[in-house]
Amino acid sequence: MSFALRTRHSVLPGFGLALGFTVLYLSLIVLIPLSAAFIRTAGMSWEAFWRTVTAPRVLASFELSFGAAFIAALINAFFGLIVAWVLVRYRFAGKKLIDALVDLPFALPTAVAGIALTAVYSSKGWIGQYLEPNGVKVAFTPLGVVVALTFIGLPFVVRTVQPVLADLGRELEEAASVLGATRRQTFVRVILPAILPALITGFALAFARGVGEYGSVIFIAGNMPMKSEIAPLLIVTKLEQYDYAGATAIAVVMLVASFLLLFALNLLQWWARRRGGQDS
Amino acid sequence: MSSRYYSWIGALALVAATAAQADSTLLNASYDTTRELYRIFNTAFAKHWKTKTGETVALKQSHGGSGKQGRTVIDGLEADVVTLALAYDVNALAEHGNLIPKDWQKRLGHNSSPYTSTIVFLVRKGNPKAIRDWDDLVKSGTSVVTPNPKTSGGARWNYLAAWGYALKKFGNDEARARDFVGKLYANVPVLDSGARGSTVTFTERGIGDVLISWENEAFLALKELGPEKFEIIVPSISILAELPVAVVDKVVDKRGTRKLAEAYLRYLYSDEGQDIAGRNYYRPRDAKAAAKYAKTFPKVDLFTIDEVFGGWQKAQKLHFDDGGLFDRIYQAKK
Amino acid sequence: MSATFALPMAEYRFPVRRRASGESALVKWSLIGTALAFLALFLFVPLAAVFHEALCKGLDAYIAALAEPDALASIKLTFFVAALAVPANLVFGVAAAWAIARFEFRGKSLLLTLIDLPFSVSPVISGLIYVLIFGAQGWIGPWLQSHDIKIIFALPGIALATVFVTFPFVARELIPLMQEQGSEEEEAAIVLGASGWQTFRRVTLPNIKWGLLYGVILCNARALGEFGAVSVVSGHIRGQTNTMPLHVEILYNEYQFAASFAVASVLALLALVTLALKSYVEWRVRHETSDPVTVGPQE
């Protein structure tokens, strides 16, 4: 094993097998296929690549895809935490049903989600008809992209935070309150540090999922060049012109950007965990 | 239960990639708006083939955006015939995949397009914005729905029809034509990725005052969604949209289905094939069928893409490729 | 309280509410209100729209839409694909979580990031990469064609794309959970002489089973509902390579809105059924007298 194994957990068996299988499967399913995109792009000259990915329309679409995904992930992190909290800690009528419904954005085909959201938020829709007179246009604007991505990423934060929160024994909180901590102090000092890794994970996943989302967004975005056109749509556009290299060039930029962001978040988490570990 | 097990075994056979192919199956890769046409045509052809040869033929359909379908066949979808929305996408089979000879369009009558269509307007009942011709689409305050020419074949016909009108109006002044089309697209609130998407945006979402649409699509929308809600407006001039069909040589030679595939396409030119086309709001080529459906199709002054744009390859390059005239409309706006 | 600390964590998963939670009623209900309002705006209303559209032509039309041969073919295909993808990713998820949550090694953050990557890959790209490899113009496409092996535009390609898209779900559900739980119980079991497999089965599995189940449910739901990637590799042959989501799109494009949403609502219902099943299993397990694993006290 070329991986340097620190001795802390070495009592447990199965490291080689588990890691070996993980890496093999990862390579077969993810890494080798993804490398195809990189190799196809490598056929381009550097100038051609740079020209493709810095075209104003492409830059505008990156801005929209990453920006909208980030905002949507923030919305999901905040409200998702509240939803997870409510589902784990409180009892109220219909809780089971709501718990079950949270996963629906995964189950619903993205195209259906897009159609349903457009129907609801367009000027004649159930919600849109009340928003539009107040100057809030959702369907066919960048705001529509945020709405679609919020829907798509909704389960991530809830479902990553929920099990950790459920697992968190009440004793620590009770101890904190016995020792005189206020409820807020307990939340900030005891609960939040424990669920923070899961919260960050949920945020990162919602964000990452949103960046590449296509099916639901094209229905609600309006797809106007420079304004409400997402990056994956430009990939499709390039493909329509049999420009495989151009399409993979945009794909590669998106891949690298999401990889770096995810990597940064994972490092942050690892750091937070180590710090947390030293504290206790 | 047994049928379920059978299908599982069938799926497993697919995994093993040794699924036996009956020699009388035929796959037609077509574009989005021909679903209704080919559902009826396939039934008719299967009956015809059965009485003629005694063979039972299973006809399979694959539908999607015209460009996407062309690309899928190039990437290996074993379609015996393609029936697409524009010759450019069939050309791609010759250029990018070497699947058909370059002169494919000469192999069947009428440029290998057994039926045609054109571009018309669909407006809301009573035509509240009084839209009569292309000029009305560039007026400020008129909201126009049309799909994205980058991803939709139909949208390219729409764009070229408007461009052709403008060229004629301004005496072939390119700059003024560009300005005209720019103004038209400034009135477009949403560019759907396909023609059906635009129809749904206009009819179901209530967006826009006018939909630029295939003629057959506009008729179908009236039929499906209610003639009491919309009406068709025919502009003074429009484009003749030739809808090409081709046998995919490489596939039929490999699968041994050439005879069947060629008969299938030829049947589109037969009396019954032409009649089915007319019944589904495609303009038949055959004089007899054309006369029968003359009342359905209003008279329009039609120009061809070869006359005005010098063919699809040139039009695509000048207008729709990256950095082309369509892109510049939007970059100028910014 | 110290006595309860000696019990395994699993005992606390669904604690009986002994006392009111720490917040005041006002905070509690405003939190519930916020959560519900958020879910209503982004989830319930769009979902209600799906069912509204599905049933607007009546129940008979709804059933007819599902009994139609092409719809049935798409339902069968979808389940078959999920039956391939979910077990594969389940095994992977457990292995990856074991390696990552139980051991320290260099390159762990990198590995985690690579596992997350399929989430962030646009569905358009995840389909495209398989075309680049297996397509007629791709790396091994010509070889496959000359041997008459079909990968893309056939079942194997659809399955591969689905595996790719649902790749991280189980692993991502288990890793934070197992990290949170720590490995003290397992270490104790090993020290007390249990084999690795015994430890996994008797200690780890009972502790992670809910997380595992969540992961499988999510993985399954997404496998059934995936649209974009599958759309690229399916070829859209009616009654043959169309999955349920693709069939939904086809029906929608044929102006059969009610039928289209009917098939879509089946996907939504399936998710609800699996979750109901999960609740039932949870309830059963809680009412059984589970044999608590005896492990040493935690620090």
Side-chain angles (χ1 to χ4, degrees):
Chain A
M1 261 300 110
S2 62
F3 289 96
L5 181 59
R6 306 222 173 87
T7 47
R8 220 174 90 198
H9 297 267
S10 62
V11 162
L12 296 179
F15 175 68
L17 181 69
L19 187 70
F21 178 73
T22 303
V23 171
L24 177 74
Y25 189 77
L26 180 77
S27 305
L28 281 178
I29 300 291
V30 178
L31 298 185
I32 294 174
L34 280 182
S35 70
F38 283 85
I39 289 168
R40 185 61 81 120
T41 311
M44 294 174 97
S45 72
W46 174 251
E47 284 77 24
F49 173 80
W50 190 248
R51 214 169 336 111
T52 304
V53 301
T54 57
R57 225 173 126 185
V58 178
L59 287 182
S61 77
F62 282 148
E63 207 181 301
L64 177 66
S65 275
F66 283 93
F70 190 80
I71 295 169
L74 275 184
I75 294 173
N76 274 325
F78 181 74
F79 289 102
L81 177 59
I82 295 178
V83 171
W85 179 268
V86 163
L87 288 178
V88 171
R89 290 298 167 96
Y90 304 141
R91 299 168 89 177
F92 53 94
K95 180 176 130 167
K96 279 266 174 236
L97 185 70
I98 286 164
D99 196 359
L101 284 174
V102 166
D103 283 330
L104 278 165
F106 285 142
L108 221 50
T110 50
V112 176
I115 293 164
L117 286 169
T118 312
V120 168
Y121 282 96
S122 71
S123 52
K124 289 190 179 159
W126 290 350
I127 295 179
Q129 59 178 323
Y130 300 109
L131 294 176
E132 203 122 315
N134 298 311
V136 184
K137 263 185 80 108
V138 178
F140 313 123
T141 69
L143 190 59
V145 181
V146 174
V147 168
L149 296 184
T150 306
F151 176 85
I152 291 299
L154 193 144
F156 282 103
V157 174
V158 180
R159 289 302 187 226
T160 45
V161 172
Q162 201 177 10
V164 177
L165 207 54
D167 237 21
L168 206 64
R170 297 297 273 282
E171 287 68 27
L172 272 179
E173 286 169 53
E174 279 162 14
S177 99
V178 167
L179 293 173
T182 65
R183 192 65 194 146
R184 179 182 299 186
Q185 282 172 325
T186 311
F187 181 77
V188 173
R189 297 281 180 82
V190 179
I191 301 169
L192 202 57
I195 59 171
L196 196 62
L199 189 62
I200 295 175
T201 302
F203 172 84
L205 296 183
F207 173 74
R209 174 88 169 80
V211 168
E213 175 55 17
Y214 177 73
S216 62
V217 178
I218 48 163
F219 287 98
I220 201 171
N223 309 325
M224 302 305 284
M226 311 296 294
K227 217 175 88 193
S228 55
E229 191 177 48
I230 53 166
L233 177 60
L234 279 181
I235 296 179
V236 173
T237 300
K238 298 258 180 217
L239 287 177
E240 294 298 317
Q241 295 162 35
Y242 307 100
D243 182 5
Y244 281 87
T248 51
I250 300 178
V252 160
V253 171
M254 291 181 70
L255 279 176
V256 170
S258 332
F259 173 81
L260 290 178
L261 273 157
L262 288 174
F263 190 58
L265 282 162
N266 277 322
L267 279 182
L268 186 77
Q269 241 193 71
W270 173 79
W271 175 78
R273 183 176 306 282
R274 278 197 21 139
R275 216 184 52 141
Q278 277 158 12
D279 278 356
S280 67
Chain B
M1 273 294 109
S2 70
S3 76
R4 189 160 134 211
Y5 281 114
Y6 186 76
S7 80
W8 277 66
I9 293 163
L12 280 173
L14 264 171
V15 174
T18 51
Q21 277 160 355
D23 48 22
S24 54
T25 63
L26 184 91
L27 177 60
N28 175 2
S30 194
Y31 65 104
D32 251 332
T33 53
T34 55
R35 297 162 205 275
E36 295 76 12
L37 168 68
Y38 280 106
R39 187 174 308 137
I40 297 166
F41 177 78
N42 285 354
T43 316
F45 177 75
K47 219 167 109 198
H48 161 78
W49 192 249
K50 178 93 182 163
T51 48
K52 199 182 150 202
T53 65
E55 275 179 49
T56 311
V57 56
L59 296 162
K60 304 226 172 242
Q61 285 294 135
S62 167
H63 291 277
S66 183
K68 183 181 176 182
Q69 291 296 80
R71 208 177 62 246
T72 307
V73 174
I74 291 170
D75 280 331
L77 180 72
E78 294 198 333
D80 304 273
V81 299
V82 290
T83 52
L84 298 178
L86 43 152
Y88 178 77
D89 292 326
V90 184
N91 279 341
L93 299 190
E95 275 195 20
H96 297 270
N98 225 356
L99 297 168
I100 56 171
K102 280 208 163 32
D103 64 346
W104 62 271
Q105 210 157 5
K106 297 205 181 76
R107 294 195 297 189
L108 286 164
H110 302 291
N111 279 331
S112 282
S113 57
Y115 43 79
T116 66
S117 189
T118 185
I119 302 302
V120 298
F121 307 149
L122 193 68
V123 298
R124 305 196 185 282
K125 194 73 188 178
N127 197 1
K129 293 263 171 152
I131 288 157
R132 296 275 161 247
D133 206 349
W134 291 100
D135 286 323
D136 299 312
L137 305 194
V138 300
K139 285 182 184 155
S140 66
T142 305
S143 175
V144 181
V145 175
T146 178
N148 190 341
K150 293 279 201 169
T151 51
S152 156
R156 271 174 251 174
W157 287 112
N158 294 354
Y159 170 101
L160 293 175
W163 190 275
Y165 169 83
L167 275 183
K168 195 171 174 200
K169 181 178 170 166
F170 299 118
N172 285 326
D173 186 335
E174 285 253 353
R176 291 183 71 185
R178 192 189 298 184
D179 185 53
F180 181 88
V181 175
K183 270 193 202 143
L184 194 159
Y185 277 87
N187 281 343
V188 177
V190 46
L191 289 168
D192 282 289
S193 57
R196 265 296 146 83
S198 279
T199 312
V200 170
T201 298
F202 179 76
T203 55
E204 296 289 294
R205 307 275 162 269
I207 304 285
D209 303 309
V210 52
L211 170 75
I212 312 180
S213 162
W214 293 108
E215 182 178 53
N216 57 288
E217 176 77 356
F219 274 115
L220 189 69
L222 282 195
K223 187 178 137 199
E224 295 283 332
L225 305 167
E228 71 284 356
K229 286 193 240 164
F230 308 102
E231 51 189 89
I232 293 173
I233 302 291
V234 180
S236 61
I237 59 171
S238 191
I239 196 161
L240 175 75
E242 295 190 316
L243 304 167
V245 300
V247 167
V248 185
D249 297 74
K250 214 170 159 182
V251 173
V252 294
D253 289 344
K254 185 182 163 197
R255 297 186 61 225
T257 48
R258 179 175 285 278
K259 231 180 84 200
L260 176 67
E262 283 175 350
Y264 180 81
L265 291 189
R266 268 200 312 275
Y267 200 63
L268 283 169
Y269 289 87
S270 73
D271 286 351
E272 189 176 15
Q274 290 286 296
D275 191 64
I276 291 171
R279 228 162 48 216
N280 286 282
Y281 312 112
Y282 290 87
R283 295 184 175 218
R285 293 284 203 171
D286 179 62
K288 206 167 69 191
K292 182 177 171 193
Y293 290 100
K295 260 194 274 163
T296 313
F297 301 114
K299 269 213 149 1
V300 199
D301 195 1
L302 296 173
F303 58 87
T304 70
I305 186 162
D306 291 338
E307 286 162 20
V308 178
F309 300 95
W312 263 112
Q313 299 308 109
K314 274 177 90 173
Q316 174 75 25
K317 199 159 187 286
L318 180 67
H319 292 274
F320 306 121
D321 272 2
D322 280 355
L325 289 173
F326 178 74
D327 277 359
R328 273 182 260 164
I329 289 173
Y330 281 95
Q331 263 141 33
K333 253 173 77 181
K334 188 78 180 180
Chain C
M1 287 306 272
S2 67
T4 54
F5 270 89
L7 284 168
M9 288 296 279
E11 292 295 292
Y12 292 125
R13 199 73 31 75
F14 301 96
V16 185
R17 297 275 173 271
R18 283 178 305 242
R19 52 141 106 176
S21 52
E23 292 82 29
S24 67
L26 181 70
V27 173
K28 174 182 162 181
W29 285 106
S30 54
L31 280 177
I32 293 177
T34 312
L36 288 182
F38 171 72
L39 290 175
L41 214 55
F42 285 97
L43 196 61
F44 302 156
V45 173
L47 189 72
V50 171
F51 281 95
H52 173 82
E53 296 275 345
L55 291 167
C56 68
K57 290 247 173 83
L59 203 60
D60 290 345
Y62 183 87
I63 291 163
L66 300 180
E68 192 249 342
D70 284 346
L72 285 178
S74 76
I75 292 172
K76 273 183 200 160
L77 176 67
T78 307
F79 275 98
F80 187 73
V81 167
L84 293 175
V86 175
N89 284 335
L90 171 67
V91 173
F92 161 75
V94 173
W98 183 260
I100 288 168
R102 291 293 174 260
F103 300 93
E104 289 300 324
F105 55 92
R106 225 177 298 159
K108 191 162 153 179
S109 292
L110 180 70
L111 185 63
L112 261 175
T113 309
L114 290 174
I115 290 174
D116 287 344
L117 206 52
F119 275 136
S120 71
V121 175
S122 177
V124 177
I125 302 173
S126 19
L128 175 67
I129 53 178
Y130 289 107
V131 173
L132 291 179
I133 293 177
F134 299 116
Q137 317 279 309
W139 289 351
I140 57 172
W143 184 86
L144 291 173
Q145 251 184 353
S146 64
H147 290 77
D148 214 18
I149 299 171
K150 283 190 194 161
I151 303 279
I152 53 167
F153 312 127
L155 187 114
I158 298 173
L160 271 176
T162 306
V163 169
F164 182 94
V165 168
T166 56
F167 183 83
F169 275 94
V170 178
R172 256 320 183 177
E173 201 59 49
L174 289 184
I175 291 166
L177 184 64
M178 283 174 68
Q179 280 177 335
E180 165 68 24
Q181 285 173 348
S183 56
E184 287 79 7
E185 292 178 30
E186 283 133 359
E187 281 165 356
I190 293 286
V191 169
L192 291 174
S195 76
W197 176 241
Q198 280 175 326
T199 308
F200 176 75
R201 239 185 32 162
R202 306 288 304 270
V203 182
T204 314
L205 211 53
N207 275 347
I208 62 168
K209 62 181 177 239
W210 301 124
L212 198 67
L213 200 60
Y214 266 136
V216 167
I217 286 169
L218 298 192
C219 185
N220 186 53
R222 186 91 164 82
L224 297 177
E226 173 53 21
F227 170 76
V230 170
S231 158
V232 178
V233 294
S234 125
H236 300 271
I237 307 170
R238 252 191 120 107
Q240 195 174 316
T241 61
N242 273 327
T243 60
M244 281 164 86
L246 299 180
H247 192 64
V248 169
E249 193 211 16
I250 285 183
L251 291 172
Y252 188 79
N253 275 337
E254 291 178 356
Y255 299 121
Q256 302 186 41
F257 301 124
S260 150
F261 281 103
V263 178
S265 71
V266 171
L267 287 162
L269 282 174
L270 278 172
L272 286 176
V273 168
T274 42
L275 282 148
L277 223 63
K278 186 203 111 212
S279 302
Y280 174 73
V281 175
E282 261 174 25
W283 177 82
R284 279 292 300 268
V285 170
R286 237 182 308 158
H287 283 72
E288 274 168 20
T289 40
S290 53
D291 51 332
V293 187
T294 43
V295 288
Q298 293 163 304
E299 28 190 309

